[in-house]
Amino acid sequence: MPSDAAFPISAEKSKTPPNNRFAMPSETASDGIVSTRRKPMKAFTKITAIVAPLDRSNVDTDAIIPKQFLKSIKRSGFGPNAFDEWRYLDHGEPGMDNSKRPLNPDFSLNQPRYQGAQILLTRKNFGCGSSREHAPWALDDYGFRAVIAPSFADIFFNNCYKNGLLPIVLTEEQVDRLFKEVEANEGYRLSIDLAGQTLTTPGGETLAFDITEHRKHCLLNGLDEIGLTLQHADEIHAFEEKRRQSQPWLFNG
């Protein structure tokens, strides 16, 4: 096997610090620790917002954000193409001016009464299909902060928590009742209190939902996995300094 010398990587060429050559340059500080300048995950505490209904079961991630829009990993800019194949009457491609595309008037999210909605109400097995993290990115960029359904696909469910989106599981009976109330009342709003794990209807009915303490802590404080790690930045820095002193050859450029 060729030695490392056969594949020289200089700090200048890699554009990353020599003590952390494989980290993303935009997220790595000069000491090798991920920079706190990265965009933090949005915290979720309480919201009162319009509810938009999507009365479909088994909505897969390709419906949430079609495959042709997956080329970017910036986590932003996906909102205009969320539900692209249902939302527009033509076929969408990256780079198109969405403001000039014909909207599907029968798609619920295009109806004026649901504009500005931050809560999506939908049916069972939401987020099934491929495991693309672009799906919660698209929903977040659209403006949704929470999704309510009787069940979610596991990977999508977990990805929501990593991106500041709250998935709420209610019974099918409760979801049915909410669909009827949303349909009957224009401007229908729900209040969500994450700390109390409650959802309150305009009529004052309170519905409880489950969430693990760890996930609740992360959402309340806007902490994704990198954010959790950065809480230990001092300890990480101390460890790296100790290793730099004891094994200096590891840090030579």
Side-chain angles (χ1 to χ4, degrees):
M1 180 177 292
S3 67
D4 289 344
F7 303 98
I9 303 176
S10 69
E12 180 179 356
K13 288 183 179 180
S14 66
K15 302 300 182 183
T16 58
N19 57 332
N20 198 352
R21 293 172 179 162
F22 303 105
M24 292 296 290
S26 61
E27 295 188 351
T28 306
S30 59
D31 58 4
I33 298 175
V34 178
S35 172
T36 56
R37 292 192 298 271
R38 59 181 292 276
K39 183 180 178 181
M41 187 178 83
K42 288 184 290 187
F44 190 114
T45 53
K46 297 180 180 180
I47 65 167
T48 297
I50 293 174
V51 181
L54 183 61
D55 197 1
R56 304 185 189 215
S57 299
N58 304 308
V59 174
D60 63 34
T61 53
D62 193 52
I64 297 172
I65 183 70
K67 59 185 179 299
Q68 63 266 32
F69 300 106
L70 305 185
K71 297 178 181 179
S72 172
I73 56 171
K74 292 182 179 179
R75 300 192 178 201
S76 61
F78 296 100
N81 298 110
F83 304 109
D84 196 90
E85 293 182 1
W86 297 338
R87 191 171 169 185
Y88 302 98
L89 294 175
D90 61 353
H91 176 74
E93 289 290 342
M96 293 179 68
D97 184 350
N98 291 309
S99 66
K100 297 180 180 179
R101 297 176 62 194
L103 294 173
N104 177 3
D106 296 326
F107 183 54
S108 58
L109 270 61
N110 287 338
Q111 297 177 19
R113 63 184 292 184
Y114 301 124
Q115 298 309 297
Q118 292 182 277
I119 301 172
L120 181 65
L121 177 67
T122 188
R123 298 292 185 178
K124 64 182 180 181
N125 200 30
F126 186 80
C128 57
S130 68
S131 59
R132 65 193 68 173
E133 197 167 1
H134 296 71
W137 294 352
L139 295 175
D140 173 72
D141 198 61
Y142 181 92
F144 289 118
R145 298 303 320 278
V147 183
I148 301 170
S151 62
F152 294 88
D154 287 344
I155 295 176
F156 174 83
F157 187 74
N158 291 326
N159 282 339
C160 284
Y161 289 110
K162 297 177 181 180
N163 291 280
L165 188 66
L166 175 62
I168 295 176
V169 177
L170 298 179
T171 67
E172 290 198 10
E173 180 183 2
Q174 290 171 326
V175 169
D176 282 339
R177 190 163 68 251
L178 289 177
F179 266 105
K180 292 176 182 177
E181 292 180 5
V182 169
E183 176 64 26
N185 300 279
E186 185 169 347
Y188 187 89
R189 296 172 181 265
L190 289 173
S191 296
I192 300 173
D193 179 358
L194 177 56
Q197 297 179 213
T198 59
L199 182 155
T200 305
T201 70
E205 180 184 8
T206 298
L207 305 175
F209 61 88
D210 292 329
I211 183 173
T212 66
E213 285 300 318
H214 174 71
R215 284 171 167 165
K216 181 164 70 171
H217 169 78
C218 290
L219 281 177
L220 286 171
N221 294 280
L223 296 171
D224 58 10
E225 290 166 333
I226 295 177
L228 283 169
T229 301
L230 286 174
Q231 290 188 313
H232 303 281
D234 289 342
E235 294 98 314
I236 295 171
H237 182 75
F239 174 83
E240 288 296 314
E241 282 298 316
K242 182 178 179 180
R243 193 170 66 142
R244 187 178 285 110
Q245 295 297 323
S246 63
Q247 299 172 304
W249 59 88
L250 294 177
F251 299 88
N252 293 331

